[in-house]
Amino acid sequence: MERIVLISILTLIIHSAETLSYAVRMAGIRTGKLAIALSLTGMIVLVSRTSNIAQGTMTGKVIDFAKSHLEFDLAGNFRIILAAASLGTLIAIALFPTFVALSGRLISHLEKAGSVPKMFKDALRADVIRNASYHIRIPKWEMVQRLGVGGFPRRLILMNCLVTAIYTVGVLAALYATFLPGQYSIGASQSSGLINGMATILLTLLIDPQVALLTDKALRKEAKLTSINKVFGSLMLSRFCGTVLAQIIFVPAAYWIKWIVPYL
């Protein structure tokens, strides 16, 4: 059970970090320093993706334990991990206003320092940490209400929800497929990379270009800042819905992986 708690905490951090990467982009738009913001976003995503690999390794040991202890509720414990993904996304949504303000300061520190190590050295000074409390923003209900003004970008929301669900469930479904009766257990366990790769390709082809176009319009003052606020808000809400959808498709995805592996 201790390992499940540890994996759940890691999953929570992964999804919080990926969701908060939108806050760094938002800060880049507000400060007019998007290129610097995107470099910080890339670092956040890199760390979260690397942590996702560690999550797969740790979860694999849970499979070994479940195979030797048949009374262990593997599916139920995996659902706890999926719930941690939803909780991490909700935490990130609550922290979004604060993180936008802090990211603006972080961008300024990076521009002044000229390198990431120097930036962290400056940002971790005692006086800077004390001043960080001035950037705390309490989320307000009006933020959610403003999302409904003018309608939602439905296609973008649906695509992001689907991609998030695939990415969230990929590793767990592949590992759970190895626990199901039948052959090709090793092949099923290795399919998580293919599934997450497909999710990344869909994200790159279908979602990132639309966000980039809207961001470019906001930088050129062709679109209001409120419109890009709405887009990022919609993306965060759809990410949360995607983690909930992952709960629904978890077992069917595992059986699909078990069925498709012999044909690969």
Side-chain angles (χ1 to χ4, degrees), residues 12-81:
L12 184 148
I13 294 172
I14 290 170
H15 283 265
S16 294
E18 293 208 351
T19 306
L20 286 173
S21 66
Y22 296 137
V24 182
R25 289 190 185 187
M26 188 71 242
I29 295 171
R30 289 184 177 180
T31 58
K33 301 168 184 175
L34 186 60
I36 299 175
L38 289 177
S39 68
L40 291 174
T41 301
M43 286 189 288
I44 293 173
V45 173
L46 178 62
V47 170
S48 66
R49 297 287 163 83
T50 305
S51 300
N52 199 44
I53 297 173
Q55 179 205 43
T57 304
M58 295 171 64
T59 310
K61 294 182 179 180
V62 177
I63 297 291
D64 294 335
F65 178 83
K67 287 181 177 180
S68 58
H69 299 77
L70 298 180
E71 72 281 2
F72 183 73
D73 184 10
L74 184 62
N77 280 279
F78 273 12
R79 291 193 183 280
I80 293 174
I81 298 173

Side-chain angles (χ1 to χ4, degrees), residues 17-218:
E18 293 208 351
T19 306
L20 286 173
S21 66
Y22 296 137
V24 182
R25 289 190 185 187
M26 188 71 242
I29 295 171
R30 289 184 177 180
T31 58
K33 301 168 184 175
L34 186 60
I36 299 175
L38 289 177
S39 68
L40 291 174
T41 301
M43 286 189 288
I44 293 173
V45 173
L46 178 62
V47 170
S48 66
R49 297 287 163 83
T50 305
S51 300
N52 199 44
I53 297 173
Q55 179 205 43
T57 304
M58 295 171 64
T59 310
K61 294 182 179 180
V62 177
I63 297 291
D64 294 335
F65 178 83
K67 287 181 177 180
S68 58
H69 299 77
L70 298 180
E71 72 281 2
F72 183 73
D73 184 10
L74 184 62
N77 280 279
F78 273 12
R79 291 193 183 280
I80 293 174
I81 298 173
L82 292 173
S86 299
L87 179 60
T89 305
L90 284 177
I91 291 173
I93 293 173
L95 292 176
F96 185 77
T98 297
F99 211 76
V100 170
L102 290 175
S103 296
R105 296 300 304 155
L106 206 59
I107 290 169
S108 298
H109 281 297
L110 179 56
E111 184 180 35
K112 181 180 178 180
S115 68
V116 174
K118 289 183 179 179
M119 176 197 70
F120 281 117
K121 183 180 178 181
D122 291 341
L124 293 176
R125 294 201 318 266
D127 59 320
V128 175
I129 294 175
R130 284 196 301 269
N131 291 334
S133 61
Y134 294 107
H135 300 289
I136 296 176
R137 304 287 187 272
I138 305 299
K140 299 179 180 179
W141 180 247
E142 288 78 4
M143 293 168 53
V144 179
Q145 290 178 322
R146 283 197 296 267
L147 290 177
V149 179
F152 288 96
R154 292 186 182 88
R155 185 179 300 177
L156 185 63
I157 288 176
L158 290 174
M159 288 190 300
N160 196 48
C161 177
L162 179 61
V163 170
T164 301
I166 295 172
Y167 175 74
T168 302
V169 84
V171 172
L172 296 179
L175 290 173
Y176 188 68
T178 66
F179 184 71
L180 298 175
Q183 298 179 334
Y184 306 106
S185 293
I186 296 178
S189 67
Q190 298 301 311
S191 64
S192 61
L194 177 62
I195 295 169
N196 285 348
M198 290 172 56
T200 303
I201 290 171
L202 289 172
L203 179 70
T204 304
L205 294 179
L206 302 178
I207 298 172
D208 281 351
Q210 293 191 46
V211 177
L213 288 171
L214 292 168
T215 301
D216 194 49
K217 286 183 179 180

Side-chain angles (χ1 to χ4, degrees), residues 221-243:
K221 310 298 182 182
E222 296 177 7
K224 295 181 179 179
L225 195 59
T226 53
S227 65
I228 198 68
N229 274 335
K230 182 177 178 180
V231 169
F232 284 133
S234 301
L235 287 172
M236 288 190 293
L237 289 175
S238 62
R239 276 187 65 89
F240 172 72
C241 293
T243 60

